[in-house]
Amino acid sequence: MLLKENIPVHYILGKIKKEMLWVTVYAVLIAVLYENFHITRISIPIAVPTILGTVISLLLAFKSNQAYDRWWEARTLWGAIVNDSRTLTRQLITFIDVPFGASDEHSFCERVAKRQIAWCYSLSRHLRREDPLFQLERFISAEDMEHIKRYSNVPLALQELQARDLRNAFKLGWINEFQQVQIDKTLTAFSNEMGGCERIKNTVFPSTYAVYIHFSLILFIMLLPFGLIEFFGIIEVPLVIAISCSFFLIEKMAIHLQDPFENKPTDTPTTSICRTIERDIKQMLKESHKHDEDLKEKSVPKASNIFYIL
């Protein structure tokens, strides 16, 4: 993903290189006919392409705004995933009450928190139509891996495992009813956020709308040399190329923004967000574990104190 870095010029121009080629050939052809063969009747009033260009500009502006809304909604959903992942980890650390010395102390919180990291990575790859199981063994057990392989929707399978562990924690008395409800609300928020991302991914931008704008843009570019040739002569070639490139780039920008989960430089940076979530959750678990160890040491009398009491 490209975040704050500048997008390379060759990447930008590479997206419209075919369009630039045929526009160049077309503009040069019109200029040659006008200058060498003195076909002056091909000139048309500049107002004709101007009016059409104005209409297309309004349509492209509307399309760009709608595409940006989709991209921003996707980014907002992933921002909520970051916040809720931190909230879930905090709830696990502060709610789970396992007696000191128990064999599964801290392991329950760590298992659920790391499964949340796996959920974020799997959702990111699921939205991009990639393998959602890729490298999940770093975060979940082999038993969990075997379970989620049976699902076509891996993030949903991981959510099911989270819900089962939450139910077991309540039955074992590690959390009370109120705490179970609060954690379940966080899990429900993850489900809603996943549904929002899938809605954006599976809702196709109206193809007829895009096709009509593209055809109108082609018509505008075809008329543009005829409107400029009488005033600028051969200079109309670079002018037509520059104007056409600006319109084509705006169109391409809207096309890229309207699909924020296609693994392109303009996508929502879900991989980078997942790494941030992984870093924060692991740090929270590490600090929590250190805090628990310090409490254990303080709760056990030192050897010198025991000898004094005796």
Side-chain angles (χ1 to χ4, degrees), residues 31 42 51 61 64 88-89 127 130-131 146 149 151 165 167-168 170 172 179 201-202 233-234 261 308:
I42 62 176
I51 295 174
S64 299
L88 176 64
T89 307
L127 293 171
E130 297 176 343
D131 181 16
E146 290 299 321
K149 285 180 180 178
Y151 285 72
D165 274 2
R167 178 188 60 188
N168 293 335
F170 176 71
L172 291 172
Q179 292 168 338
K201 175 67 177 182
N202 298 325
I234 194 66
F261 300 120
Y308 179 78

Side-chain angles (χ1 to χ4, degrees), residues 43 48 51 202 269-270:
S43 177
V48 176
I51 295 174
N202 298 325
T270 56

Side-chain angles (χ1 to χ4, degrees), residues 114-170:
K114 287 187 174 181
R115 193 184 289 142
Q116 175 58 30
I117 300 175
W119 180 84
C120 294
Y121 278 109
S122 66
L123 178 61
S124 172
R125 300 183 67 85
H126 170 73
L127 293 171
R128 292 173 176 170
R129 298 286 192 266
E130 297 176 343
D131 181 16
L133 297 173
F134 181 70
Q135 293 186 346
L136 291 190
E137 63 274 4
R138 296 183 300 152
F139 309 108
I140 61 178
S141 64
E143 182 181 356
D144 287 352
M145 283 291 295
E146 290 299 321
H147 175 79
I148 64 178
K149 285 180 180 178
R150 300 194 294 266
Y151 285 72
S152 58
N153 191 326
V154 173
L156 179 61
L158 290 170
Q159 280 194 328
E160 179 188 349
L161 292 174
Q162 298 285 63
R164 289 183 181 181
D165 274 2
L166 178 61
R167 178 188 60 188
N168 293 335
F170 176 71

